Amino acid sequence: MAQIDIGSRLKKRTLYIFLVRTDSFFSKVISLFTHTKYTHASIGFDCQCTRLYSFARIYTNMPIPAGFVKESTTTGLLSLSPNAPCAVYAVKVTEQAYEDISTQLEEMYLNKDSYGYNYLGPACCFFGIPLKIKNKYFCSQFVTELLSSHHAIVLAKPASLFQPRDFEQLSEVKLIFEGTLSELDSCHDYPKTANSAGSKGF
């Protein structure tokens, strides 16, 4: 755990929750069954989402195998869907939590072979059955559990029952962008959408 002085512990930093529905077949199937706008969630450190972490496909052209990955909106599968709908939510955390989460994500990536994708998780989530398997996650389960474990959000249900659409119900997050991937470079750390729609604040 990185050590931060007492004054810094009180400062606030921002993390970003990125939601998207790509043009992939798997994403379209999930959207069809769940009737949701977004099918994938990641967590990152900048509002343009150039550095993201999640559980997803490892290879661009194949949905399996999947595991813990670094993502970027400018490379891989995300770069192939410029018109895909996406949203960015900001969540304020303490300096200590920010440093701890950053360290945890980097350590997980260095040991990514120790983690796997919770393949049964999305189906169990759809039917309201919580399924937690050690070191195995699906995307929204991982983002939710990570933020909850560092006291950034308070959960009303198990992380394994969280779908991407559930993030908008969290009081601790703020929508700062909603549009398409090609419009994401206009995102800033204040409420803004591609069509200038309103957004809730902190």
Side-chain angles (χ1 to χ4, degrees):
M1 177 185 294
Q3 294 300 313
I4 308 297
D5 63 77
I6 298 299
S8 295
R9 290 173 189 267
L10 301 177
K11 294 179 181 178
K12 293 291 185 178
R13 298 286 295 275
T14 305
L15 294 171
Y16 300 90
I17 301 167
F18 173 72
L19 307 181
V20 67
R21 186 187 74 236
T22 67
D23 295 332
S24 71
F25 173 78
F26 188 59
S27 182
K28 290 178 180 178
V29 169
I30 293 176
S31 180
L32 177 65
F33 279 95
T34 61
H35 304 290
T36 56
K37 188 172 184 178
Y38 306 114
T39 58
H40 180 64
S42 306
I43 189 165
F45 295 88
D46 66 285
C47 58
Q48 279 80 34
C49 301
T50 59
R51 180 166 66 108
L52 298 164
Y53 296 84
S54 189
F55 278 77
R57 63 176 66 193
I58 294 174
Y59 304 110
T60 300
N61 298 321
M62 298 186 296
I64 297 175
F68 186 64
V69 297
K70 281 185 179 180
E71 298 178 303
S72 173
T73 54
T74 60
T75 61
L77 181 64
L78 295 177
S79 68
L80 301 178
S81 304
N83 296 317
C86 64
V88 180
Y89 287 84
V91 55
K92 296 292 185 181
V93 299
T94 64
E95 183 81 13
Q96 184 72 64
Y98 185 94
E99 295 295 336
D100 289 346
I101 288 172
S102 177
T103 299
Q104 179 179 340
L105 290 171
E106 285 299 325
E107 289 179 348
M108 288 181 67
Y109 189 72
L110 288 174
N111 298 283
K112 58 182 180 294
D113 291 341
S114 299
Y115 299 90
Y117 193 84
N118 183 0
Y119 290 102
L120 293 176
C124 289
C125 180
F126 178 75
F127 289 107
I129 304 170
L131 177 64
K132 181 176 174 62
I133 304 173
K134 184 178 180 180
N135 290 344
K136 295 184 184 294
Y137 302 89
F138 59 92
C139 62
S140 52
Q141 174 194 11
F142 168 69
V143 174
T144 306
E145 187 167 308
L146 177 69
L147 291 173
S148 175
S149 68
H150 290 278
H151 310 291
I153 59 175
V154 177
L155 304 184
K157 59 183 177 180
S160 58
L161 292 182
F162 262 75
Q163 299 181 42
R165 64 183 178 190
D166 291 324
F167 286 104
E168 67 178 22
Q169 304 299 325
L170 296 174
S171 61
E172 299 91 350
V173 308
K174 175 181 66 173
L175 178 66
I176 62 170
F177 175 84
E178 191 164 30
T180 65
L181 279 172
S182 62
E183 298 165 327
L184 190 56
D185 59 0
S186 67
C187 178
H188 300 282
D189 193 10
Y190 53 82
K192 182 175 183 178
T193 61
N195 60 6
S196 300
S199 168
K200 69 179 182 179
F202 283 122

